[in-house]
Amino acid sequence: MSIQPEGESLRKAVQWISEEKKAGSPKSRQQLMEAACLKFNLTPMEAEYLSRSFKEIAK
């Protein structure tokens, strides 16, 4: 397990979600966010930020 700079996990999660959507993933944005939270081991605060950010983008 490597130590990542603060915020690096969140950046990787956003990038991963974006790549999944571009690749035509059949998963909903919510499902992708949940998967990213687990995959990149996001903190609850990072997960909330991710959720709010994508909600604002969707508007």
Side-chain angles (χ1 to χ4, degrees), residues 4-38:
Q4 297 182 20
E6 190 172 325
E8 186 66 22
S9 296
L10 187 56
R11 283 189 285 275
K12 286 183 177 184
V14 170
Q15 182 179 6
W16 181 80
I17 292 169
S18 178
E19 289 171 358
E20 289 293 308
K21 290 304 272 183
K22 284 180 185 177
S25 175
K27 294 181 179 179
S28 70
R29 184 174 285 139
Q30 182 64 35
Q31 290 172 321
L32 288 172
M33 283 191 291
E34 290 171 4
C37 288
L38 294 174

Side-chain angles (χ1 to χ4, degrees), residues 32-58:
L32 288 172
M33 283 191 291
E34 290 171 4
C37 288
L38 294 174
K39 181 177 179 77
F40 297 100
N41 196 26
L42 300 182
T43 66
M45 193 164 56
E46 289 172 326
E48 179 63 28
Y49 178 82
L50 184 66
S51 178
R52 280 196 325 261
S53 295
F54 276 106
K55 283 179 185 176
E56 289 177 12
I57 291 170

